[in-house]
């Protein structure tokens, strides 16, 4: 909680490089995100950045108070996709990825992301995060909030070493995270389009930090300004697409690919894009009418109603429309890569677009 607001993160489960409990090889890490680095030198460069980030993360959160260090290390050591540092490393391929500032920039975005996860678990009253007890369940809500604040402060401290531009961008990104959380918390105002409101929340809560990640990578590697701008636009758009695809997987997947039991959002009454499309639809067929009736009741804690709604959503025009929206965002992200020179890094970013568009088909 900073300034009275608890900030919730976007996606957070998955794999990590060295140092996490659920670490995988570099090839598996790239594969899990649909990334393909055909050039071995580029892959070694990216993996080198990620390995350095792991070491610097642990160093940056160390405190003179052993308890603060333990609590701050809790989620660092639990793992995660390290999606944002990975995008920093990929953005850096358009300049000189060996610059020390690249690793520091990746640490800034990952510390900011981790801080949001501590706050997220407090708001959700979560008991587990990345397969381990959440900080709030292991200690208390107050401790989890304060540790999140500590990580935000550490991120700002590292950003200060990178100069005023980094501090400004990190602060503006943080402000967008706050705005996104407030908008989600209060919900659409009277007269607002719920779908437009939802997409705006995702852009601010998830897209903004992913945009900053690739921006930082390009900027601190010395890439050309037009390439920095192109990558920032790509990052925000692909971030929205990635979050939306996770929403769809929660409904469409029979597995736990999304990191949650399928239908969790329905059970908790979280209005994701397919649900919003279904509620806003005017289809007169019996299945669509019945689906709107069920969804209008709120959280589906009744097992039979939950199963019925999940089945109807999987066959609904709303899910098809949501898939088209994800594909549209993925294609928009690809288009924003046009100013970048061809090569392994651009190909990897394009492959992420394909992965996101295809994973919910």
């Amino acid at each position: 909680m900073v300034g009275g607001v608890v900030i919730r993160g976007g996606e957070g489960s998955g794999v990590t490089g060295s140092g996490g409990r659920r670490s995988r090889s570099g090839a598996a890490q790239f594969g899990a995100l649909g990334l393909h680095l055909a050039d071995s030198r580029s892959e070694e460069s990216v993996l080198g950045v990620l390995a350095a980030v792991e070491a610097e993360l642990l160093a940056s959160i160390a405190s003179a108070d052993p308890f603060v260090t333990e609590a701050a290390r809790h989620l660092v050591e639990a793992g995660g996709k390290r999606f944002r540092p990975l995008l920093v490393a990929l953005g850096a391929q358009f300049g000189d990825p060996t610059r020390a500032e690249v690793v520091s920039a990746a640490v800034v975005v990952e510390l900011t992301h981790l801080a949001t996860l501590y706050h997220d678990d407090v708001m959700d009253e979560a008991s587990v995060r990345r397969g381990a007890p959440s900080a709030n369940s292991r200690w208390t809500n107050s401790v989890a909030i304060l540790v999140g604040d500590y990580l935000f402060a550490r991120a700002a401290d590292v950003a200060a070493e990178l100069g005023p531009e980094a501090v400004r961008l990190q602060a503006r990104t943080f402000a967008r995270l706050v705005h996104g959380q407030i908008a989600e918390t209060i919900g659409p105002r009277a007269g607002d389009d719920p779908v437009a409101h939802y997409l705006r929340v995702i852009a601010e809560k998830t897209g903004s930090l992913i945009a900053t990640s690739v921006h930082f990578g390009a900027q601190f590697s010395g890439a050309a300004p037009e390439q920095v701008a192109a990558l920032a636009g790509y990052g925000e758009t692909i971030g929205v697409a990635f979050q939306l695809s996770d929403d769809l997987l929660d409904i469409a997947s029979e597995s736990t690919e999304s990191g949650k039991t399928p239908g969790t959002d329905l059970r908790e009454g979280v209005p994701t894009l397919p649900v919003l499309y279904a509620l806003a639809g005017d289809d007169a067929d019996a299945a669509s009418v019945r689906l709107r009736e069920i969804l209008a009741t709120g959280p589906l804690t009744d097992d039979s109603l939950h199963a019925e709604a999940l089945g109807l959503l999987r066959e609904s025009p709303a899910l098809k429309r949501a898939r088209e929206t994800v594909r549209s965002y993925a294609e928009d992200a690809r288009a924003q890569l046009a100013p970048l020179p061809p090569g392994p890094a651009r190909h990897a970013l394009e492959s992420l677009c394909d992965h996101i568009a295809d994973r919910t088909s």
Side-chain angles (χ1 to χ4, degrees), residues 250-263:
D250 182 62
I251 293 168
S253 177
E254 296 288 351
S255 67
T256 56
E257 183 180 352
S258 64
K260 307 179 288 188
T261 302

Side-chain angles (χ1 to χ4, degrees), residues 296-321:
T297 64
L300 298 177
T301 56
D302 179 85
D303 288 342
S304 61
L305 282 178
H306 178 269
E308 183 181 1
L310 193 58
L312 289 169
L313 262 176
R314 286 172 173 170
E315 302 298 326
S316 69
L319 185 61
K320 179 181 179 182
R321 185 180 176 190

Side-chain angles (χ1 to χ4, degrees), residues 202-255:
I202 291 178
E204 295 192 331
K205 282 185 50 180
T206 302
S208 63
L209 189 55
I210 291 176
T212 296
S213 299
V214 281
H215 182 133
F216 268 173
Q219 176 183 349
F220 289 107
S221 70
E226 63 271 17
Q227 295 177 345
V228 175
L231 285 163
Y234 166 88
E236 176 141 349
T237 310
I238 205 66
V240 174
F242 200 88
Q243 185 61 55
L244 291 177
S245 68
D246 269 1
D247 291 350
L248 268 64
L249 284 176
D250 182 62
I251 293 168
S253 177
E254 296 288 351
S255 67

Side-chain angles (χ1 to χ4, degrees), residues 129-316:
R129 165 70 68 176
R130 296 175 172 175
S134 62
N136 52 301
S137 65
R138 180 172 176 180
W139 294 291
T140 64
N141 282 344
S142 295
V143 167
I145 291 169
L146 291 169
V147 172
D149 290 352
Y150 172 71
L151 293 178
F152 277 125
R154 295 300 303 131
D157 192 23
V158 177
E161 297 174 1
L162 295 171
E165 287 188 30
V167 173
R168 184 178 298 110
L169 181 54
Q170 197 262 353
R172 289 176 177 176
T173 303
F174 183 29
R176 292 192 65 194
L177 292 170
V178 173
H179 276 283
Q181 185 57 63
I182 292 172
E184 183 180 62
T185 301
I186 66 174
R189 293 181 172 89
D192 283 352
D193 175 7
V195 172
H197 174 270
Y198 182 68
L199 293 174
R200 185 168 62 252
V201 165
I202 291 178
E204 295 192 331
K205 282 185 50 180
T206 302
S208 63
L209 189 55
I210 291 176
T212 296
S213 299
V214 281
H215 182 133
F216 268 173
Q219 176 183 349
F220 289 107
S221 70
E226 63 271 17
Q227 295 177 345
V228 175
L231 285 163
Y234 166 88
E236 176 141 349
T237 310
I238 205 66
V240 174
F242 200 88
Q243 185 61 55
L244 291 177
S245 68
D246 269 1
D247 291 350
L248 268 64
L249 284 176
D250 182 62
I251 293 168
S253 177
E254 296 288 351
S255 67
T256 56
E257 183 180 352
S258 64
K260 307 179 288 188
T261 302
T264 296
D265 290 333
L266 271 179
R267 191 174 294 279
E268 295 177 353
V270 177
T272 57
L273 188 64
V275 170
L276 292 172
Y277 277 156
L279 287 170
D282 57 3
D283 302 270
D285 60 284
S288 296
V289 172
R290 175 58 178 161
L291 178 57
R292 287 196 295 271
E293 290 176 352
I294 299 174
L295 294 177
T297 64
L300 298 177
T301 56
D302 179 85
D303 288 342
S304 61
L305 282 178
H306 178 269
E308 183 181 1
L310 193 58
L312 289 169
L313 262 176
R314 286 172 173 170
E315 302 298 326
S316 69

Side-chain angles (χ1 to χ4, degrees), residues 35-175:
L35 290 168
H36 303 285
L37 277 167
D39 180 74
S40 60
R41 291 181 62 184
S42 296
E43 182 170 327
E44 288 173 5
S45 172
V46 170
L47 291 176
V49 170
L50 293 178
V53 167
E54 291 300 319
E56 193 165 321
L57 271 175
L58 292 173
S60 66
I61 61 177
S63 166
D65 186 326
F67 175 79
V68 174
T69 300
E70 178 188 4
R73 289 174 65 114
H74 182 66
L75 281 186
V76 173
E77 295 180 335
K81 287 187 179 73
R82 298 291 190 260
F83 186 39
R84 292 153 190 81
L86 176 58
L87 288 174
V88 173
L90 287 170
Q93 300 303 306
F94 296 94
D96 178 3
T98 65
R99 291 185 177 183
E101 294 92 337
V102 171
V103 173
S104 295
V107 169
V108 170
V109 296
E110 187 64 8
L111 284 175
T112 302
H113 174 59
L114 288 169
T116 69
L117 299 184
Y118 279 83
H119 289 177
D120 197 359
D121 288 343
V122 171
M123 295 193 72
D124 288 345
E125 299 180 351
S127 59
V128 176
R129 165 70 68 176
R130 296 175 172 175
S134 62
N136 52 301
S137 65
R138 180 172 176 180
W139 294 291
T140 64
N141 282 344
S142 295
V143 167
I145 291 169
L146 291 169
V147 172
D149 290 352
Y150 172 71
L151 293 178
F152 277 125
R154 295 300 303 131
D157 192 23
V158 177
E161 297 174 1
L162 295 171
E165 287 188 30
V167 173
R168 184 178 298 110
L169 181 54
Q170 197 262 353
R172 289 176 177 176
T173 303
F174 183 29

Side-chain angles (χ1 to χ4, degrees), residues 6-32:
V6 179
I7 309 301
R8 303 174 66 188
E11 57 76 31
S13 59
V15 298
T16 183
S18 60
R21 293 179 197 161
R22 293 195 283 173
S23 62
R24 299 184 185 180
S25 68
Q29 182 175 359
F30 295 150

